[in-house]
């Protein structure tokens, strides 16, 4: 019998959720530091986290930070496919290192992809030489991300009281970035970032072994990634155990003079997980997590009341998130397969032999 969302929720108690929330705030904090805040032993915290992580219910990953992504080329790519090819196309895109997230939608477009490449020519090659050539793809539409306003790494569970959150934030602040804009990464730093992707809590000794370098060099490079704000450590949670199991995407349009004000209002809404400015007919994209499908109507009403001047042009419900921030997920949002994000990868992914450009005769 397949697991259900209800059975997954039954596997976690309030202490498990508190540990996950703590790691959202301070993903690389020591078990000792977390145990002191939560009033548990370090052994208990580590044991509980090991069980949660082994079941794929929560995990710590590392990706480029929103600041690093801003220095590259980000885009949303909508893909329509032949019905029989839909999941195969989604999985092929999820395994491509240039995708951050891949979702199957109920309407409007079959697959929604959040991609990052080193530059615009790299994005062009990805779309024309990779996406369009996948068997079954019939249409591709692209919007360039012009600014990331709210990132998914900012989203939090509501499992800890304010006092404990503040203590953990103080721990996290010890390794907070010291500059606003990360510089370019060299080859060894990119290699270290990719080595961290499957497990953002890897100790320096393991990082050194995986990258074939000394512990001193690995520690120095990790410290630079953290100091410059190039890396984002994220504790991700299987969506169906968060109490917010539904993902809703909204494409909206707002006049440029009002964009800043309205985006500030949207960023304060707890449902909003991702908020970006984009090019194209619509210039705002929101990704929200909701308690139910019915909640989408309530959210639209709230946005309409709080953000006059924002026109919601299209609205899509996600059937399944295939990839989220470097991990391929199962239908309940548990991690299955590591697929690290590597925007510097450029054209060295093998194409299916039967692939041909979408629309080719």
């Amino acid at each position: 019998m397949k697991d259900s969302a209800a059975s997954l929720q039954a596997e976690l108690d309030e202490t498990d959720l508190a540990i996950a929330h703590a790691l959202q705030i301070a993903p690389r904090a020591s078990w000792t530091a977390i145990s002191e805040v939560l009033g548990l032993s370090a052994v208990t915290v580590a044991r509980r986290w090991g069980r949660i992580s082994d079941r794929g219910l929560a995990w710590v990953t590392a990706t480029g930070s929103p600041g690093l992504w801003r220095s590259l080329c980000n885009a949303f790519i909508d893909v329509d496919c032949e019905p029989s090819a839909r999941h195969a196309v989604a999985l092929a895109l999820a395994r491509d290192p240039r995708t951050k997230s891949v979702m199957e939608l109920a309407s409007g477009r079959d697959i929604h992809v959040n991609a990052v490449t080193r530059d615009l020519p790299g994005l062009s090659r990805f779309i024309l030489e990779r996406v369009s050539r996948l068997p079954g793809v019939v249409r591709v539409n692209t919007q360039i991300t012009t600014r990331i306003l709210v990132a998914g790494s900012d989203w939090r569970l509501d499992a800890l009281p304010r006092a404990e959150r503040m203590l953990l934030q103080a721990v996290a602040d010890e390794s907070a970035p010291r500059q606003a804009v990360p510089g370019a990464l060299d080859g060894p730093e990119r290699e270290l970032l990719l080595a961290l992707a499957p497990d953002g809590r890897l100790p320096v000794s393991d990082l050194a072994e995986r990258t074939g370098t000394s512990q001193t060099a690995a520690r120095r490079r990790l410290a630079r990634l953290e100091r410059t704000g190039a890396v984002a450590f994220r504790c991700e949670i299987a969506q169906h155990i968060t109490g917010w199991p539904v993902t809703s995407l909204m494409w909206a349009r707002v006049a440029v003079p009002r964009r800043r004000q309205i985006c500030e209002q949207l960023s304060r809404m707890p449902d909003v997980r991702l908020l970006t400015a984009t090019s194209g007919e619509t210039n705002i994209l929101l990704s929200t997590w909701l308690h139910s499908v019915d909640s989408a109507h309530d959210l639209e009403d709230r946005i309409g009341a709080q953000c006059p001047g924002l026109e919601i042009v299209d609205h899509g419900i996600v059937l399944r998130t295939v990839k989220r921030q470097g991990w391929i997920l199962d239908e309940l949002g548990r991690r299955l397969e590591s697929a690290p994000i590597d925007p510097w990868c450029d054209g060295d992914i093998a194409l299916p032999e039967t692939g041909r450009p979408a629309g080719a005769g």
Side-chain angles (χ1 to χ4, degrees):
M1 180 182 297
K2 286 188 175 182
D3 290 332
S4 65
S7 68
L8 290 190
Q9 289 174 329
E11 290 189 35
L12 300 184
D13 60 21
E14 292 302 316
T15 301
D16 294 327
L17 292 174
I19 292 170
H21 190 174
L23 286 170
Q24 284 185 315
I25 299 169
R28 281 185 65 86
S30 69
W31 296 131
T32 299
I34 292 174
S35 68
E36 289 174 351
V37 173
L38 299 185
L40 302 167
S41 73
V43 172
T44 297
V45 173
R47 175 176 52 79
R48 280 179 172 260
W49 175 254
R51 176 179 58 82
I52 296 168
S53 184
D54 288 346
R55 285 282 288 147
L57 300 174
W59 58 95
V60 174
T61 188
T63 71
S65 67
L68 180 63
W69 290 162
R70 288 187 193 106
S71 69
L72 302 171
C73 180
N74 299 266
F76 294 106
I77 305 170
D78 293 328
V79 181
D80 286 334
C81 317
E82 297 170 0
S84 62
R86 178 169 172 157
H87 185 64
V89 169
L91 190 58
L93 291 171
R95 286 178 172 147
D96 192 294
R98 290 161 290 191
T99 63
K100 293 189 280 186
S101 67
V102 177
M103 303 175 181
E104 296 181 25
L105 270 65
S107 62
R109 64 274 295 149
D110 293 330
I111 299 169
H112 179 73
V113 179
N114 188 351
V116 58
T117 61
R118 67 175 73 200
D119 51 27
L120 284 168
L123 177 64
S124 177
R125 288 190 294 273
F126 175 53
I127 294 168
L128 297 177
E129 299 174 11
R130 174 60 173 169
V131 181
S132 299
R133 293 188 179 187
L134 288 171
V137 169
V138 297
R139 188 184 72 88
V140 177
N141 184 61
T142 303
Q143 283 186 293
I144 304 295
T145 304
T146 56
R147 183 161 298 179
I148 301 170
L149 302 165
V150 174
S153 55
D154 298 327
W155 191 89
R156 298 286 185 263
L157 288 166
D158 187 21
L160 292 174
R162 184 173 183 273
E164 293 182 356
R165 295 199 305 267
M166 291 179 66
L167 289 171
L168 287 162
Q169 190 60 55
V171 174
D173 288 344
E174 294 175 4
S175 58
R178 290 174 172 80
Q179 64 187 64
V181 181
L185 303 189
D186 61 24
E189 289 169 339
R190 295 199 297 265
E191 185 180 2
L192 188 75
L193 183 59
L194 292 174
L196 276 167
D199 182 359
R201 290 184 58 82
L202 274 179
V204 169
S205 57
D206 290 354
L207 282 173
E209 182 178 351
R210 294 191 183 192
T211 57
T213 190
S214 68
Q215 291 190 32
T216 300
R219 184 177 292 107
R220 183 178 65 252
R221 288 165 185 158
L222 176 59
R224 183 179 183 277
L225 290 177
E226 291 180 317
R227 184 179 65 255
T228 61
V231 61
F233 295 101
R234 302 168 57 131
C235 178
E236 297 283 1
I237 318 291
Q239 187 176 356
H240 284 265
I241 64 172
T242 64
W244 308 70
V246 176
T247 299
S248 170
L249 303 179
M250 295 183 184
W251 289 262
R253 183 189 300 122
V254 63
V256 172
R258 296 211 57 201
R259 183 171 57 193
R260 181 186 294 274
Q261 177 188 2
I262 284 180
C263 285
E264 287 176 353
Q265 292 172 314
L266 291 171
S267 69
R268 291 193 288 268
M269 294 184 176
D271 326 70
V272 174
R273 184 176 169 89
L274 176 69
L275 173 63
T276 67
T278 64
S279 65
E281 183 181 354
T282 58
N283 58 2
I284 298 291
L285 176 68
L286 298 90
S287 177
T288 64
W289 278 15
L290 305 173
H291 294 300
S292 65
V293 172
D294 183 66
S295 300
H297 293 282
D298 299 330
L299 178 60
E300 285 186 342
D301 290 342
R302 244 186 311 136
I303 290 174
Q306 296 180 28
C307 305
L310 181 76
E311 177 190 1
I312 298 174
V313 177
D314 200 1
H315 188 179
I317 299 295
V318 174
L319 296 175
R320 176 179 178 180
T321 298
V322 181
K323 180 180 184 178
R324 173 157 36 106
Q325 292 301 320
W327 277 93
I328 294 173
L329 311 178
D330 71 7
E331 60 186 11
L332 293 177
R334 293 173 293 193
R335 65 173 181 172
L336 284 177
E337 177 185 334
S338 178
I341 304 164
D342 182 6
W344 302 278
C345 164
D346 193 9
D348 54 356
I349 305 297
L351 291 170
E353 291 182 3
T354 56
R356 59 179 181 170

